[in-house]
Amino acid sequence: MAENPMVPLKDEPTIGKLVVDAQRDISKLISAEIQLAKAELKVSLKAGGFGAVFFAVAAFMGLMALIIFSVTAAYLINWDGHGLSLKWSFLIVTGFYLLMAGLLAFLGIRSVKKVKGPERAIAQAKQNKKAFKH
């Protein structure tokens, strides 16, 4: 007796069963990938958060060091009473910082003035608008 190749054997799954199994497996795989991505992202965000805290603490400590340096510079200018008066020493240090702040502000303003809008994109949009009107 010859077997019909189109009729599945009792032990073989049908095409419909195979499709359902494949969809279920793909769904499980995608779910697992999403869970893995969430876990990796959680670790990355935690590390990034710690990095931001470290940068903030470093900036604060740098500011503290700058203040201590400023006082030290003023006392060095005074040189234990043999240099300039202490009030002039602190005034010189303050003037230096104001000069530096002014210079940095000038450089910042000059850099910001160089920023321009997307001129070519605006021109292209105007040309497109004219072309669509005709």
Side-chain angles (χ1 to χ4, degrees):
M1 175 164 122
E3 292 183 19
N4 186 350
M6 299 304 280
V7 177
L9 298 176
K10 290 183 182 180
D11 295 345
E12 290 184 22
T14 63
I15 292 177
K17 172 94 169 92
L18 290 174
V19 169
V20 169
D21 289 346
Q23 286 177 340
R24 185 189 67 239
D25 291 344
I26 289 172
S27 177
K28 283 182 182 179
L29 179 64
I30 291 172
S31 257
E33 290 292 329
I34 290 171
Q35 293 302 321
L36 177 63
K38 283 181 181 179
E40 288 179 356
L41 194 58
K42 193 180 221 181
V43 170
S44 292
L45 288 176
K46 197 174 199 181
F50 282 129
V53 168
F54 291 146
F55 279 126
V57 171
F60 177 74
M61 292 182 81
L63 180 63
M64 294 296 108
L66 182 65
I67 292 169
I68 295 297
F69 172 76
S70 301
V71 172
T72 303
Y75 275 101
L76 278 173
I77 293 170
N78 177 260
W79 199 256
D80 213 16
H82 299 296
L84 290 176
S85 170
L86 200 54
K87 58 187 167 196
W88 288 110
S89 300
F90 277 101
L91 190 60
I92 289 170
V93 172
T94 302
F96 170 75
Y97 284 125
L98 288 174
L99 182 67
M100 291 300 293
L103 177 66
L104 291 172
F106 170 74
L107 293 174
I109 289 170
R110 200 170 82 183
S111 293
V112 168
K113 284 185 177 179
K114 290 181 181 177
V115 175
K116 296 179 180 169
E119 295 169 357
R120 291 189 313 188
I122 291 170
Q124 184 66 39
K126 287 179 181 179
Q127 286 178 352
N128 290 343
K129 184 178 176 182
K130 287 180 185 177
F132 284 126
K133 282 186 177 181
H134 298 297

